């Protein structure tokens, strides 16, 4: 927890509260679930390749503003990315039709578990020439088919009777931090 707090510039108590706000019992529970989630190794190779792809898109659009759109629990990632991209000297803004129209092209990062809710935003951005990076829970969604780069972070949907935390948001946060670390290494 100390390393995460130092890396993000916040107090350890803030890091702990973030884990709890995502539905975990504690920071330890959060990290244990992440280890469990990524421990299977099913998609580690694919995710590693996609990190390189996303970094190359960000580098290709250096100097342009990255627009970010999200919905649901994963909206915390939008706020996080605005801060972290700014720390790396990358201009970033929340997506809006008017903002996209004013900038005319660039990169749209879409964070949407279902891969459907933000489809209108993606269509609009694609019509304007934006390169779309989608992070969803499936390759078989309207957004994933429209995006030039689609990253799948598996989720853990469960019934109310057999509730288990959904790891999508935690997986997205971990993935994005990997992307940003790789980006910083390449430009540093």
């Amino acid at each position: 927890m100390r390393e995460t707090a130092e890396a993000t510039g916040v107090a350890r108590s803030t890091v702990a509260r973030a884990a709890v706000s995502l539905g975990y019992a504690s920071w330890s529970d959060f990290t244990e679930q992440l280890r469990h989630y990524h421990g299977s190794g099913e998609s580690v190779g694919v995710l590693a390749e996609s990190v390189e792809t996303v970094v190359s898109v960000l580098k290709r659009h250096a100097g342009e503003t990255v627009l970010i759109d999200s919905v649901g629990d994963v909206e915390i990632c939008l706020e996080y990315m605005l801060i972290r991209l700014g720390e790396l000297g990358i201009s970033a803004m929340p997506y809006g039709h008017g903002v996209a129209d004013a900038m005319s092209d660039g990169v749209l990062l879409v964070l949407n578990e279902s891969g459907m809710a933000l489809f209108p935003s993606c269509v609009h951005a694609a019509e304007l020439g934006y390169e779309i990076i989608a992070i969803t829970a499936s390759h078989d969604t309207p957004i994933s088919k429209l995006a030039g780069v689609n990253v799948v972070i598996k989720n853990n949907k469960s019934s109310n009777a057999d509730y288990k935390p959904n790891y999508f948001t935690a997986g997205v946060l971990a993935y994005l931090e990997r992307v940003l670390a790789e980006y910083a290494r390449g430009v540093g």
Side-chain angles (χ1 to χ4, degrees), residues 98-140:
V99 173
D101 289 340
M103 295 185 178
S104 75
D105 68 358
V107 177
L108 172 62
L109 173 61
V110 179
L111 312 171
N112 183 204
E113 185 175 4
S114 72
M116 295 183 286
L118 298 175
F119 185 65
S121 298
C122 290
V123 169
H124 182 247
E127 289 171 350
L128 293 172
Y130 280 80
E131 188 163 0
I132 300 170
I133 301 169
I135 301 180
T136 66
S138 171
H139 282 293
D140 191 29

Side-chain angles (χ1 to χ4, degrees), residues 1-2 23 32 37 40 48 54 77 90 95 112 126 130 134 139 143 155 163 167-169 171 178 182:
M1 182 180 343
R2 179 185 53 77
E32 178 59 33
Y37 174 80
S40 66
V54 172
C77 298
I90 301 170
Y95 177 85
N112 183 204
Y130 280 80
H139 282 293
I143 288 174
N155 60 1
Y163 177 77
Y167 307 124
F168 182 74
T169 299
R178 239 177 115 180
E182 187 65 28

Side-chain angles (χ1 to χ4, degrees), residues 25-150:
S26 64
W27 175 256
S28 296
D29 180 41
F30 172 74
T31 56
E32 178 59 33
Q33 296 298 337
L34 276 177
R35 275 192 288 281
H36 170 75
Y37 174 80
H38 289 290
S40 66
E42 293 173 15
S43 59
V44 172
V46 173
L47 283 176
E49 289 174 19
S50 72
V51 166
E52 294 172 16
T53 303
V54 172
V55 168
S56 70
V57 170
L58 292 174
K59 287 180 178 178
R60 191 167 48 251
H61 291 276
E64 298 176 14
T65 299
V66 175
L67 298 181
I68 307 169
D69 204 359
S70 65
V71 66
D73 292 343
V74 79
E75 285 187 51
I76 191 171
C77 298
L78 183 150
E79 300 296 328
Y80 175 77
M81 286 299 287
L82 292 175
I83 293 166
R84 292 288 288 125
L85 287 170
E87 291 172 350
L88 292 171
I90 301 170
S91 175
M93 295 179 66
Y95 177 85
H97 277 24
V99 173
D101 289 340
M103 295 185 178
S104 75
D105 68 358
V107 177
L108 172 62
L109 173 61
V110 179
L111 312 171
N112 183 204
E113 185 175 4
S114 72
M116 295 183 286
L118 298 175
F119 185 65
S121 298
C122 290
V123 169
H124 182 247
E127 289 171 350
L128 293 172
Y130 280 80
E131 188 163 0
I132 300 170
I133 301 169
I135 301 180
T136 66
S138 171
H139 282 293
D140 191 29
T141 67
I143 288 174
S144 64
K145 291 175 179 163
L146 186 60
V149 177
N150 185 56

Side-chain angles (χ1 to χ4, degrees), residues 4 14 32 63 120 179 184-185:
T4 302
T14 302
E32 178 59 33
V179 167
R185 224 181 334 272

Side-chain angles (χ1 to χ4, degrees), residues 2-25:
R2 179 185 53 77
E3 293 167 354
T4 302
E6 288 175 4
T8 57
V10 299
R12 284 190 272 182
S13 60
T14 302
V15 172
R17 282 193 309 273
V20 171
S21 74
L22 290 171
Y24 299 92

